[in-house]
Amino acid sequence: MEESNSQLRHPAPHRRTGNSENGNAGLTGRTHPLPWWAAGILLGLVQVLAIALVKPMGVSKQFVVADARVLERVAPEYSENHPLLSNEQNKKFGYGWWFNIGIVLGAFLAALHLRAWKVRTVSAWWQRNHDAPVLLRLIAGFCGGVLLLLGAGLAHGCITGQFISGWTQLSLSAIPFTITLFGFGMLVAYLVYPKAPSRFRREE
Amino acid sequence: MSTPIVGLIMGVIFGTSLVLTGLTNPDKIIGALRLKDFYAIRTVAVFLLVAMLGTWILDLFGAANFNIKPAVILTVLIGGAFLGTGLGLTGFSPATGLASAASGRIDALITVIGMIFGAHVYILIYPSIVVPLEKVLNFGSLTLPQITGSSAASWVVPIFAAGSFALFITRSRKPRDDEQRIKAGDLGMNEEFPDPLSPIPIPRQKGLYLKSDCLKAASVFRRWKNLLFMVMLLCLLLHQASFWLVSTGQVEITENTNPETPVVLGADSLQADQSGNSEKGNAGLTDQAAAPAEESRNLMLFGFDVTFELLTSIVRITNIILVLTSVLYALIMYFGLGISFKGGLGGLAHICGALYMALIIFVLLLPWQNFFGPIAMGATYTPNELVSWCTTDISDTLGMVLFYLRFTGYWALVMLLLLLAQLRSFRWARAIIR
C-alpha cells in the first residue's frame, strides 16, 4: 500500500524535469515553466511598469539605430542626406538600446538559472517537417529575420512595439497590424510547418 | 527617467520574463500559429489584458507615458504582412529572437543577424519607397477612444471583461496527465494510456477508491481556497487603497467626527459605533449639500466621484468580508489537512504550514482595537479610526513611522502571510494532485 502510494504520488520522477529545455525535452517542446495566466500577468505587469517609468516597450527600432550608427561612420555623406538617418533620434544609444541589451542579459541569466541554456539549432516543428534540418533552418531564420525587421520598420514597430504596445494604448494602428500579422503568420506557418510534431497527434 | 540604467533594468526584467514564460521557444509560437498549442495565445491574451487594464489605471492617475505610433494604414498593413511572414517562418519575434539567442539558440542568433540586415534594407529603401508610401492613408497618432469620442473606460472595461470571460470559460478542463493516469489506473483502463516510461501498477486495493474520492474532494477544496484567496486579496487591496486615498488627501474627509472617541471604546461599542457612523454620514451628506464647492474637490475614478462616504462603506464591507473569508480560508485549510490525512494523499507539511498561516491571518485581521482599545490592534481598521489618525497632527518622525506601520506595515504583514499561505497550499495541491 505504502509503496503504491508513493508511486502514485510521484508517477515518474525522471519526467518531472522542471523545465522544457532539459534533456531532449527541447525537441518535444513539451512543458513550460509558468502556467499561462501567471506568464501573462507577469508580462503585463512588466509592460505597465515600463509605461509608468518611461514609455511602452519596443525592440525593433534599436536595430535601425545600430545600423544608423554604423552608416554614420562608414558613409557620413549618405547618412546626412538620408531622411531617416539624419534624424537625431536615430543616432543616440539611449534607453531603448540599453533595454535591448537588458533583454539579452536577462534572458541569458534566466536561461542559466533555469538550466535551460543549451546550444540548439532546430525546433521540434522544424524537425518534424523538414528532413535537412540545420542549414535550411538557419537560412530560413536569416530570411525571416530580414523580413521581421523590414516589416517592423514599415509598421513603425515590431510585435512588442506595435501589437502589444499598440493594443495596450488602444491605438488605431494596432488593428490593421493585427489582421495582417496573424493572417500571414498563420498562412506561412501552415505552408512551412504542415505536419504537427508527435505530441499533438494521438500517439502518446 | 529614460536613463540607460533604467533601460537596462527594464530590459533585464523583460528578458527574464520572456524566458520564464517560455515564449522564447519557437515551438510555442509556431504551435500557436498552427492553432495546435494555445499556451502562447493565452499568455499573450492575458499579457494584453493586464497591460491594457494597468495602463488605463495608470492613466487615471495621470502616470502613464504614452507613445502612440502613427496610424499609417497602408505601411502598417504591409509591415504586418512582412512581420507575419517572418514570424511564421522562424517562430521568433524581434524581442523573443533576442532573448532566444541569448539562451543558446543558434537559429535565433542567425535570425538576429538577419534582423540587422533587415534594418539595413529598411534604411536603404526608406527614401525611395517608404516615404511616398507613408503619405497614403496616414491618420496620424490616433487612438480608438479618440476616434469614437468615448472614454477609454468604455473600451478597456468591456474588452477586459470579455477577454477574461472568454479565457475563463475556455480554460482547460482536462485533468493533467498525472491525474489522468491515476484515474486510468483506478478504473482499470491502463491500456488506453500506455506509457513505457512510467508504468503505473494496476491497483487492486479498495483503498484506491477512497483515494480518488479524496483527490476529487481536495480539488474542490483547492478551487474554493483559490476563490477565497482572490476575494481576500481584492479586499486587502481595496482596504489599502482607501487608506492611501484618505491619507494623501485625495479624498476629503467630510465627516465631522471628534477624534478622541473611536479607538478607546468598550467591547459592546460596535453597534454604537455603527449607529453613530450613520448619523455622522447623514451629517456629512447635509454638509456636502450645503457646500457643493467642496464636492468638486473629490477624486473622479471610474466615471463616478469617490466621496468619503463611499470609502467608509467600502472599508466597512471589506472589513466584514475579510474577517469572514479569513475564517473560511482557515477552515478550508483545516479540511484540506483532514482530507489529505484521511486519504493518504501526502503534502501534509505544506498544508499544516498553510493552516497555521491562515490562522495567524485570521487572528491579525480581527479588529482587536474594538475590544482592547489601543492595547492590541488588528489589521482591519474602522473608518472612524482612520479619520482620527488622519486628522491628528503628526509632526514627529516616530509618529509618522507609527502611523504608516499601523496602516501599511500591518497590512503588508497580513498580505505577506496571505501570499505565503497561498504558496504553501499551492504546493500542497501540487503535491497531492501529482
Side-chain angles (χ1 to χ4, degrees), chain A residues 9 82 137 156 170 193-194, chain B residues 34 107 123 134 144 434:
Chain A
R9 217 177 305 139
H82 196 282
R137 166 79 183 163
H156 293 272
L170 293 170
Y193 305 94
Chain B
R34 291 280 282 105
D107 45 351
I123 288 174
E134 291 207 332
L144 296 175
R434 282 245 159 140

Side-chain angles (χ1 to χ4, degrees), chain B residues 283-348:
Chain B
L285 274 179
T286 50
D287 260 15
Q288 274 201 337
E294 213 177 32
E295 204 178 352
S296 61
R297 290 171 63 186
N298 280 328
L299 184 73
M300 293 292 288
L301 259 187
F302 311 106
F304 53 87
D305 61 341
V306 180
T307 58
F308 189 70
E309 279 78 37
L310 184 71
L311 280 190
T312 51
S313 46
I314 285 180
V315 168
R316 280 202 198 105
I317 293 169
T318 50
N319 277 348
I320 297 167
I321 297 177
L322 267 178
V323 174
L324 291 183
T325 44
S326 64
V327 177
L328 287 180
Y329 195 62
L331 270 180
I332 277 194
M333 298 291 182
Y334 178 66
F335 290 136
L337 173 62
I339 280 180
S340 42
F341 184 61
K342 196 82 182 167
L345 302 177
L348 283 177

